[in-house]
Amino acid sequence: MKKIITAADMRRCEAVNFAQGTADALQLMQCAGNGCAEELLKIAPCWGEFKRLVIFVGSGNNGGDGVVMASYLAGRINCEILLALAMPEKLSDAARYYLERLESGVTVTAADQLELQQSDVVVDGLLGSGCHGVMREPLAGLIKRINASGCRVFALDMPSGLGSDLTIRADFTAVIGFFKRELFTAAGIAGSGIMRLVPLELPIAPEVAEDVPLAADLNFFRQYEQPLERNTHKYRRGSVLIAGGSAEYFQAPFLSGRAALRSGAGLVRLALPFAAAAGCGTLALIPGQVRSAGGSLCAESFSDLEPYLNKINVIAVGPGMGRSADAGKFIGELLSVNKPLLLDADALFAAGSMQNQIRRRNAPTLLTPHRGEAENLAAAIKRTLPADDLSAAKLLAEEFNATVLLKGARTVIADPSGKSIINTSGTPALATAGSGDVLTGAIAAEMCRFSALTAAARGAFMHGLAGELLEQYYSESGVIADDLPEALAAVRQRLRRSGDIFAEKFLRNNFKFAEI
């Protein structure tokens, strides 16, 4: 798993490799440009038919990557390719080298003379890293035109202008070598869209601090993926207990349970303060009614669970539970169980007043708040939550002696040792009711096999990819939480078979949804 570095770290790393002779500028540019082209070939079928590919080339090496990309795509993509030069007189030596060797089939034109059409796909190779202050012409005008064009935008390394007052809004960013911290700022999140990492061979690694966050990406998934053994059985795969639900929110635990099953758990038992109708959620779940108080889980509910706890590997509690005092007593009882425990949703409301109990637990504890819930946790222990999510997650992890997953556009995970991971997948399509309940189930299944930190990062990454996949099928605003459990399983299969969810040409024909 790679560290997340700054753009300045990357520039220094390249300079050191060039000075030591361990890397060559021309070879790196060719590797970067070819890798970005491969990413475009994967995502392009999801964007529908387009007549022209317009590659905007700036003056630096970022523009050179675009020139290499044009040559690589010539003959490989069925559309006209235009190379739009923004400042041809300022091309870098490496970019000019590849421009002079451009493959036939690519038309070179001046960027300021080009009229964009809505049917175009735009590649943003205008600027690399190091932007700040006010964007100047002619780049400011080009960025405004691209943003106003309605075209799909594919950015190279980072959206142009990131760090200045004007930034490209990309649909997809092919990040070169390392994920950059700038991509996880508010402007970076808004401008980068879907992100994928393009490998770059740099024998001398960047010099960065030990405690910088790691990136949860496709390489991270491959590193930790474990195929099932042929002689496995349901208990070896892992047994999950999900406790939650209330008179008002009785369906949430079923979403979590279905997600846990689709994420690899061998058995999922539900603890519910109400009687479940036969087949509710899915027939594979084992719903159990426990004693309740006013339609809520309570201390007596815990007593009803004790016969099952020896066979349970992981407990997740909170989805749809409600915030009654009785539910808080149930949480207090669960904290005494020496099993990995995930606290989500309304369980976090009770957790704020149980800091000492959580700190004393010997088994792993995972808290999964969104920003509002995190602020409530901090207020309960009389701490002020830092503005940035990474610092906020680290503070709560230290204070509660627990792993913390702070949900957001780029979810952050931190553990009490100071280790942290930032998720690189996801889409606004996941901002829908019940999405967090699905995430809870996915992570609970992963906790049967991995540490809380790794399980949380894997669950968040797969959940984000499921959203990316569903967005291509239902549109950004059409995804609902009911779609996500099956998409989690489809994502895992696509990653094993093709390496990415966008690798298959005809998405709609190949992706089958189970009836929900």
Side-chain angles (χ1 to χ4, degrees):
M1 202 177 344
K2 285 193 172 185
K3 294 180 177 179
I4 297 174
I5 66 175
T6 67
D9 292 331
M10 186 68 178
R11 290 194 298 272
R12 285 192 294 269
C13 176
E14 289 178 333
V16 169
N17 277 276
F18 295 155
Q20 296 295 321
T22 52
D24 176 80
L26 289 175
Q27 290 177 351
L28 283 185
M29 185 171 285
Q30 186 170 46
C31 179
N34 290 352
C36 290
E38 285 291 340
E39 293 300 325
L40 178 65
L41 289 173
K42 285 195 291 187
I43 189 66
C46 300
W47 289 350
E49 294 185 10
F50 52 94
K51 298 176 181 179
R52 296 193 308 182
L53 179 68
V54 181
I55 304 176
F56 282 89
V57 172
S59 59
N61 289 335
N62 192 247
D65 297 337
V67 177
V68 171
M69 193 175 174
S71 283
Y72 187 89
L73 291 171
R76 287 184 170 91
I77 193 165
N78 187 27
C79 69
E80 181 182 5
I81 302 176
L82 296 181
L83 201 63
L85 305 183
M87 293 178 287
E89 72 284 357
K90 294 184 179 180
L91 281 176
S92 68
D93 291 341
R96 194 171 299 280
Y97 174 89
Y98 284 112
L99 184 63
E100 292 169 354
R101 291 160 179 79
L102 196 63
E103 290 287 333
S104 60
V106 179
T107 301
V108 180
T109 185
D112 60 359
Q113 297 177 9
L114 180 67
E115 290 296 327
L116 288 172
Q117 303 163 7
Q118 279 201 327
S119 59
D120 294 338
V121 165
V122 169
V123 173
D124 165 30
L126 288 173
L127 289 168
S129 60
C131 297
H132 56 85
V134 177
M135 184 63 60
R136 292 179 292 183
E137 297 294 348
L139 297 177
L142 290 175
I143 290 174
K144 290 176 182 177
R145 282 173 52 202
I146 292 170
N147 284 344
S149 67
C151 299
R152 294 280 194 176
V153 179
F154 182 102
L156 305 184
D157 197 30
M158 296 197 300
S160 289
L162 188 56
S164 74
D165 67 326
L166 187 61
T167 306
I168 287 279
R169 293 192 300 272
D171 298 281
F172 188 105
T173 299
V175 183
I176 299 171
F178 291 83
F179 286 99
K180 318 299 189 302
R181 281 298 300 272
E182 290 85 349
L183 292 165
F184 300 94
T185 63
I189 293 168
S192 57
I194 292 171
M195 298 193 299
R196 292 293 185 271
L197 188 68
V198 174
L200 200 64
E201 186 65 33
L202 289 166
I204 302 176
E207 292 187 8
V208 293
E210 285 296 320
D211 63 348
V212 301
L214 301 172
D217 66 347
L218 292 171
N219 292 323
F220 166 72
F221 170 83
R222 297 185 191 105
Q223 178 182 348
Y224 287 97
E225 183 63 359
Q226 297 176 348
L228 294 176
E229 297 176 359
R230 288 291 177 181
N231 63 346
T232 195
H233 51 74
K234 62 186 176 184
Y235 291 112
R236 187 177 293 174
R237 288 179 61 177
S239 178
V240 173
L241 171 67
I242 297 173
S246 61
E248 187 175 4
Y249 301 111
F250 59 89
Q251 292 178 320
F254 293 95
L255 271 175
S256 301
R258 193 179 186 100
L261 287 172
R262 290 296 192 189
S263 297
L267 182 149
V268 178
R269 185 180 295 276
L270 305 183
L272 308 169
F274 54 85
C280 185
T282 176
L283 292 172
L285 290 171
I286 304 173
Q289 184 179 11
V290 295
R291 281 177 287 176
S292 62
S296 174
L297 293 168
C298 60
E300 288 73 21
S301 307
F302 177 78
S303 299
D304 293 342
L305 291 177
E306 289 187 292
Y308 306 110
L309 293 179
N310 285 338
K311 286 190 175 182
I312 294 297
N313 298 111
V314 174
I315 302 170
V317 58
M321 187 178 70
R323 296 183 176 184
S324 70
D326 288 302
K329 293 175 184 177
F330 176 75
I331 299 297
E333 295 287 349
L334 273 184
L335 291 177
S336 66
V337 180
N338 193 30
K339 301 277 185 178
L341 177 63
L342 186 160
L343 300 177
D344 181 44
D346 290 329
L348 297 167
F349 178 78
S353 62
M354 301 177 184
Q355 179 190 19
N356 291 333
Q357 288 174 264
I358 295 172
R359 286 189 64 86
R360 289 195 297 265
R361 294 193 79 243
N362 293 320
T365 308
L366 174 63
L367 311 178
T368 60
H370 55 58
R371 185 75 196 188
E373 291 163 339
E375 288 174 351
N376 289 338
L377 284 171
I381 58 173
K382 297 179 171 55
R383 295 296 304 269
T384 300
L385 201 67
D388 73 283
D389 285 352
L390 180 60
S391 297
K394 285 186 172 183
L395 181 144
L396 292 176
E398 180 180 0
E399 292 290 337
F400 283 88
N401 190 34
T403 300
V404 172
L405 178 144
L406 182 51
K407 300 171 187 174
R410 298 292 182 203
T411 290
V412 175
I413 307 101
D415 73 6
S417 74
K419 294 178 181 176
S420 59
I421 301 173
I422 301 180
N423 184 38
T424 65
S425 67
T427 162
L430 291 169
T432 184
S435 177
D437 300 321
V438 173
L439 177 60
T440 291
I443 294 174
E446 297 287 353
M447 288 176 74
C448 294
R449 297 173 287 165
F450 300 104
S451 71
L453 181 71
T454 300
R458 278 179 60 88
F461 178 65
M462 300 297 284
H463 184 257
L465 286 188
E468 291 177 10
L469 179 61
L470 290 167
E471 180 184 348
Q472 309 306 316
Y473 193 86
Y474 285 129
S475 83
E476 188 178 71
S477 58
V479 176
I480 60 174
D482 304 60
D483 306 322
L484 285 166
E486 277 61 55
L488 286 167
V491 160
R492 181 173 274 104
Q493 176 67 356
R494 282 170 173 267
L495 293 187
R496 287 175 176 166
R497 185 170 57 204
S498 306
D500 200 348
I501 61 172
F502 302 118
E504 297 182 32
K505 188 173 181 181
F506 300 106
L507 181 72
R508 290 177 179 270
N509 292 336
N510 287 338
F511 187 38
K512 304 296 184 184
F513 292 93
E515 291 295 328
I516 297 174

